[in-house]
Amino acid sequence: MMAATRWRTLSNCWFLLVSNMETTIFTSVPQIRMAFVKMPTMESVHNLITKARGEERMTFKGAKISFHALGFDNPSSPYGFYTLLMRLMNFHVTDDGSSLVYIDNISLSESKDLRETLKKIGCVKNFLPLLNKLFIEFESVYDADRLGVWYSLLKKPPGHILHREKTPISSCTSPSPKLPEQALPDSTEAVTWATVPSIKSGIPQGSAAPFWIPLKSSPYLFPTISPWFNIPGRDIGNHSKKLLKVKNFGSNIIMLTGLQESFYTHQNVAQLVWQYFPEPGIQTLYYNIIVLPLQRRAFVFFPDWTACSNFVQDHVSKPISLNGNALSVHFVTEPMSLEFSEEMLYKTAMKLCNARVSEMEALEERLLCVEINEAAVHVTQIVLDVVASIAPFVSFLMLGNRNPKTEPPTCEMAENDSKLVLHSSSDLPDVAMNEEGEKPGVEMDKDMGLCS
């Protein structure tokens, strides 16, 4: 382990720091027997050091230990703790956290196995194991994506928890995934359908990070800088001449990219295209328009080519925007069927997400719609934790909010007789509260009619 020689004279030292981090003890570089302990107050630090220097020296596992108070600014996050450790070892961290992955509750054997896996994933700058935690710093923000994708394709979810220390953000169109094939798990560990998306014509204009990919266990979502989902689109830009060329594909489907991370509704997107439907109604709203907020894009199934081309021509002359945010428009030239049922909508959207597509048998009985009125990633994660505590689910899909003021994740339950008892926001933990001290409204039902 790097810089071990510098610490040799400080073996069996416990460093004390005052911090509001949830974790009580971090053990750094176990080979040299050092620990960092969070203390609630400076007074508690003083009392512990005084006691340790008394007649009865404190021991741990039969070895005498000494305590030292850190003379640095105390960290308030895992990223802060990592930079502190590296600074103590004379290594300067230049990354802002976007290339750093922190893993909690990982066993020694899992850590060793993951170290071997990372040789395939590649581009690891630093691998820093702690007692039951692990920091992995990648060479770039693009390389860190692959670890999250690798976890999302595992057949069996791990027992540990994966966190990217900072959500990556881009102000322009994101680049294609870097070395995507290296994100695939071995065939013995991967789900049967495991693939990485093939992006033949590049990333569509307006596709800017962050994006989110689903995980099978908490925290359920992993942010990425590149889009790791299927993109069946073709740029239109400002070239109306492409209309004639694209007409030959016989597609009436448009993909919109550049949606905001939040602060918009399904109805806001629908209003952009509503006038091009001769008889718009509930069915049009629910099934002709698909909003995928975690991918910051939407799909519109127009009734015919005339309506589709009229929309595009109007966009060319006056580009559309949502809440002042310019959107990009793309033709979908690959076959996509329009179905008017929740289970078929789920299947279509899951294919777009490059995620698991279930067998259709009994799918309707296994789909659970969870409606929440706050489009926030952390609220979605909390709700999924609550669902998982009641009954296991095999996958989930986040859609735009088709009902007013709600955003529904649809969960595919493992069994069709799952008993779900979460009926209101009162069952949510307090950490789900917003700035006003209110919990998001929550409704669950396995009746698809109530979810639509």
Side-chain angles (χ1 to χ4, degrees), residues 394-413:
V394 295
S395 59
F396 68 93
L397 170 70
M398 179 64 69
L399 293 173
N401 44 341
R402 294 177 296 173
N403 283 346
K405 297 183 180 180
T406 63
E407 179 184 357
T410 299
C411 301
E412 181 187 342
M413 310 307 293

Side-chain angles (χ1 to χ4, degrees), residues 236 240-254 276 301-313 331-333:
I236 292 176
S240 57
K241 292 181 180 179
K242 289 187 178 181
L243 284 169
L244 294 177
K245 183 177 180 181
V246 175
K247 182 178 181 180
N248 297 327
F249 288 98
S251 174
N252 304 329
I253 309 170
I254 289 294
Y276 302 95
F301 294 76
F302 285 92
D304 51 45
W305 169 251
T306 300
C308 182
S309 61
N310 287 342
F311 168 75
V312 173
Q313 290 179 28
F331 277 113
V332 174
T333 56

Side-chain angles (χ1 to χ4, degrees), residues 173-323:
T173 299
S174 293
S176 298
K178 180 182 177 183
L179 305 174
E181 295 299 327
Q182 293 180 198
L184 284 172
D186 292 337
S187 57
T188 56
E189 299 178 300
V191 291
T192 55
W193 50 267
T195 59
V196 288
S198 175
I199 304 175
K200 300 176 182 178
S201 56
I203 305 300
Q205 181 182 356
S207 301
F211 309 103
W212 300 83
I213 55 176
L215 302 175
K216 294 179 177 61
S217 58
S218 184
Y220 301 108
L221 295 171
F222 186 89
T224 63
I225 186 71
S226 297
W228 289 81
F229 43 78
N230 292 322
I231 302 177
R234 170 173 297 186
D235 271 342
I236 292 176
N238 293 322
H239 306 293
S240 57
K241 292 181 180 179
K242 289 187 178 181
L243 284 169
L244 294 177
K245 183 177 180 181
V246 175
K247 182 178 181 180
N248 297 327
F249 288 98
S251 174
N252 304 329
I253 309 170
I254 289 294
M255 178 174 68
L256 303 175
T257 58
L259 295 177
Q260 299 165 277
E261 291 185 65
S262 56
F263 303 112
Y264 70 91
T265 67
H266 185 101
Q267 284 82 358
N268 293 149
V269 178
Q271 289 170 0
L272 299 174
V273 299
W274 210 240
Q275 60 179 308
Y276 302 95
F277 288 85
E279 296 180 1
I282 294 298
Q283 183 171 272
T284 302
L285 180 65
Y286 287 170
Y287 300 108
N288 286 74
I289 303 167
I290 302 175
V291 179
L292 300 172
L294 300 181
Q295 301 169 16
R296 304 179 67 179
R297 60 177 179 165
F299 291 85
V300 181
F301 294 76
F302 285 92
D304 51 45
W305 169 251
T306 300
C308 182
S309 61
N310 287 342
F311 168 75
V312 173
Q313 290 179 28
D314 290 344
H315 166 70
V316 170
S317 60
K318 185 180 179 181
I320 62 171
S321 62
L322 183 60
N323 295 333

Side-chain angles (χ1 to χ4, degrees), residues 48-68:
L48 183 57
I49 291 179
T50 301
K51 181 178 180 181
R53 291 176 177 174
E55 295 182 1
E56 297 182 5
R57 293 289 301 273
M58 297 183 69
T59 62
F60 181 75
K61 298 290 185 179
K64 292 183 178 181
I65 56 177
S66 60
F67 294 88
H68 303 268

Side-chain angles (χ1 to χ4, degrees), residues 306-367:
T306 300
C308 182
S309 61
N310 287 342
F311 168 75
V312 173
Q313 290 179 28
D314 290 344
H315 166 70
V316 170
S317 60
K318 185 180 179 181
I320 62 171
S321 62
L322 183 60
N323 295 333
N325 191 56
L327 303 182
S328 298
V329 176
H330 318 269
F331 277 113
V332 174
T333 56
E334 296 178 17
M336 287 178 58
S337 58
L338 174 61
E339 303 287 349
F340 298 102
S341 68
E342 292 294 307
E343 57 270 25
M344 290 306 298
L345 171 63
Y346 176 80
K347 184 176 182 180
T348 297
M350 289 295 278
K351 286 182 179 179
L352 292 170
C353 299
N354 192 45
R356 178 177 182 269
V357 179
S358 298
E359 296 295 330
M360 294 304 295
E361 182 179 357
L363 179 59
E364 182 178 359
E365 287 76 22
R366 289 186 288 111
L367 286 183

